[in-house]
Amino acid sequence: MRSIENVNPKRERYEGYIPVITRKETARVNIRDVLYIETELRIVNVYTVDRTYRFYGKLDDVQQYLDGNFFRCHKSCIINMEKITRMEDCILYFCGEFTLRIGQNNFRRAKTRYAQYLEQNTRKETQLETRIDL
């Protein structure tokens, strides 16, 4: 596996996807498909409904490809707020019946951020519906 740093030495931003380059595979993971991303030692795991992509890298390097729908709830985990269906008892439930357990302090922070995310998106949808009605 190659590091994601070597893929993009100029730090140009790729819009809408995360490049994954390993010895066996080269892929483009659409950020809209990502449920969450976590690291184990130096390996980054990008979880989607269909599969998990694994490569060497740092979460900071991957974070540059993500948009405002993502929240770093822990030093080794980033979640996609758009894919969360509910949060309860330190467990995040994602679409596709995926779950992720996080610590209590991180859960509180993630829950607060998720509530803000829901409020902002509800306002945007309401404003959009109002414009369409006009």
Side-chain angles (χ1 to χ4, degrees), residues 45-61:
N45 297 307
V46 179
Y47 294 91
T48 67
V49 173
D50 298 326
R51 66 176 282 203
T52 301
Y53 297 88
R54 296 172 53 91
F55 56 91
Y56 286 107
K58 296 179 182 177
L59 214 50
D60 289 335
D61 295 333

Side-chain angles (χ1 to χ4, degrees), residues 35-37 59 63 66 70-73 76-80:
L35 301 173
Y36 63 96
I37 303 166
L59 214 50
Q63 196 167 4
L66 306 176
F70 289 85
F71 174 68
R72 191 164 185 168
C73 64
S76 65
C77 186
I78 299 173
I79 55 177
N80 186 350

